Amino acid sequence: MKDSFSIQDTLNMLWDKIGEGVSEIILKLPNLIMAIFIMVCFYFIAKMIKRILQNFLLRRIAQKSIQNISGKIAFIVVILIGFFISLSVLGLNKILTSVLAGAGVVGLAIGLALQGTLSNTFGGLVLSFMHKIRINDYIETDEAKGFVSEITLRNVVLRQTDNNYVIVPNSKFVENSFTNYSISTRSRIAVKCYVSYDSNLDVVEDLVIRIINENFEQKEGETVEFFFTEFDDYSINFMTRFWIDMVKIKQEHTARHTAIKLIKKHFDAQGITIPFPIRTLKFEKNKGDFEQ
């Protein structure tokens, strides 16, 4: 005897299930509305706390990167608190418990899969609280150089002098060395030149030192240094070092530019020659007669 299939019974069962679902939704509708209201409230609370941190509590901190990252972390934390409260209001405590229990396993899996990303994130936190790198500092790494435009949890954005932007992962800064030209306001630069062998070396030395001292202020503890460095094929080479105000690389270029022009001008006035290599080519005519 075969079991009879009744479409009517199936439709009745389906209708009963739909009715039960609708009744359940209606019963939990106030809780759902309350959960949505809580999430909306916590969203605006998170934005307000972020704004307060950035505008008031963190105003005394010079590091803009610390302000930005601290504001973002506070925003995320408040949103998570609102999310968990909403789950509790909906009576999804079991789901909440499962989420918290599985967070450790998921976190471990994500950590293994995203080691590079987490390394950059940790590097971003480290860089944000470092006073050795700040927004608008001019820095140079092995691969790039420019002004620090932004420090995020993933990378550092450098604005180059040609107004192009370079994105450098945070791990590069944490693991490798870099030069920050903006930490100290004074730096020492070197200018190299050479003179001919018939020059009076004492006169050259005194003249260069006087030129630099007259045009570049040397503060307490700073002096102009002068060194003859080598006998070259056609000249005697020298180097002078002196201190300048420098927080940007352009200041170094400007100072070196000025020093070179001054040295050339005074050398010309004193008759001191800056030699350059000359090659003489000698051609001899054949003395033989040509026969036709």
Side-chain angles (χ1 to χ4, degrees):
M1 181 177 179
K2 296 182 178 180
D3 295 334
S4 61
F5 175 77
S6 175
I7 297 178
Q8 185 65 37
D9 293 340
T10 304
L11 291 176
N12 290 335
M13 185 180 300
L14 180 60
W15 182 256
D16 291 339
K17 292 293 184 183
I18 294 176
E20 292 176 1
V22 173
S23 299
E24 188 71 20
I25 292 175
I26 293 175
L27 289 174
K28 290 190 175 181
L29 187 59
N31 290 347
L32 179 61
I33 295 174
M34 180 60 68
I36 295 174
F37 177 75
I38 290 173
M39 283 301 303
V40 172
C41 289
F42 269 86
Y43 172 77
F44 286 104
I45 291 173
K47 290 188 66 174
M48 182 179 63
I49 291 177
K50 179 181 178 181
R51 190 179 299 111
I52 291 174
L53 284 174
Q54 293 179 338
N55 295 337
F56 297 99
L57 299 181
L58 297 176
R59 181 178 293 178
R60 298 180 180 178
I61 301 177
Q63 283 281 60
K64 290 186 178 180
S65 57
I66 297 178
Q67 298 178 13
N68 294 334
I69 291 181
S70 298
K72 291 177 181 178
I73 292 175
F75 181 84
I76 293 173
V77 169
V78 174
I79 290 294
L80 287 176
I81 292 173
F83 174 73
F84 289 130
I85 293 177
S86 298
L87 288 180
S88 178
V89 170
L90 289 173
L92 301 177
N93 296 324
K94 292 183 179 180
I95 296 178
L96 178 59
T97 304
S98 300
V99 169
L100 294 177
V105 177
V106 175
L108 178 61
I110 294 176
L112 293 175
L114 303 175
Q115 293 184 19
T117 302
L118 292 178
S119 176
N120 288 328
T121 301
F122 177 76
L125 292 174
V126 173
L127 291 175
S128 296
F129 289 92
M130 284 179 60
H131 295 288
K132 301 302 182 182
I133 178 171
R134 301 162 298 182
I135 301 297
N136 296 325
D137 281 357
Y138 187 88
I139 64 175
E140 181 177 354
T141 68
D142 294 337
E143 301 176 355
K145 55 185 176 182
F147 297 94
V148 178
S149 175
E150 184 180 4
I151 301 176
T152 68
L153 291 177
R154 289 181 53 84
N155 47 56
V156 175
V157 181
L158 299 181
R159 179 177 59 82
Q160 296 181 311
T161 53
D162 56 6
N163 207 36
N164 290 321
Y165 288 82
V166 180
I167 312 300
V168 184
N170 291 330
S171 58
K172 296 289 185 181
F173 286 90
V174 176
E175 297 172 1
N176 302 322
S177 60
F178 63 90
T179 303
N180 190 336
Y181 292 94
S182 302
I183 293 179
S184 59
T185 58
R186 300 281 292 177
S187 294
R188 184 165 58 185
I189 66 171
V191 175
K192 298 179 180 179
C193 190
Y194 40 85
V195 293
S196 61
Y197 272 92
D198 59 359
S199 301
N200 186 320
L201 300 186
D202 291 330
V203 172
V204 171
E205 180 178 358
D206 293 340
L207 178 60
V208 171
I209 293 176
R210 180 175 61 81
I211 293 170
I212 301 300
N213 273 320
E214 289 177 352
N215 293 275
F216 298 92
E217 180 185 2
Q218 303 299 291
K219 298 184 178 181
E220 184 178 356
E222 301 173 352
T223 58
V224 177
E225 297 179 340
F226 183 95
F227 304 98
F228 287 108
T229 56
E230 63 178 336
F231 292 98
D232 209 342
D233 293 337
Y234 55 91
S235 65
I236 297 177
N237 300 348
F238 70 84
M239 172 184 66
T240 181
R241 301 196 302 177
F242 54 96
W243 295 83
I244 62 170
D245 291 327
M246 179 180 165
V247 293
K248 299 180 180 179
I249 197 67
K250 182 180 179 180
Q251 293 174 290
E252 178 183 359
H253 296 324
T254 301
R256 186 173 284 112
H257 167 83
T258 302
I260 289 174
K261 289 180 63 177
L262 289 169
I263 291 173
K264 177 66 167 59
K265 176 182 177 181
H266 285 78
F267 276 12
D268 289 345
Q270 295 292 329
I272 299 174
T273 304
I274 300 177
F276 54 90
I278 299 176
R279 291 183 179 180
T280 302
L281 301 179
K282 184 177 181 182
F283 298 93
E284 293 185 358
K285 294 182 179 180
N286 293 329
K287 296 180 180 181
D289 294 329
F290 293 96
E291 296 182 357
Q292 296 184 355

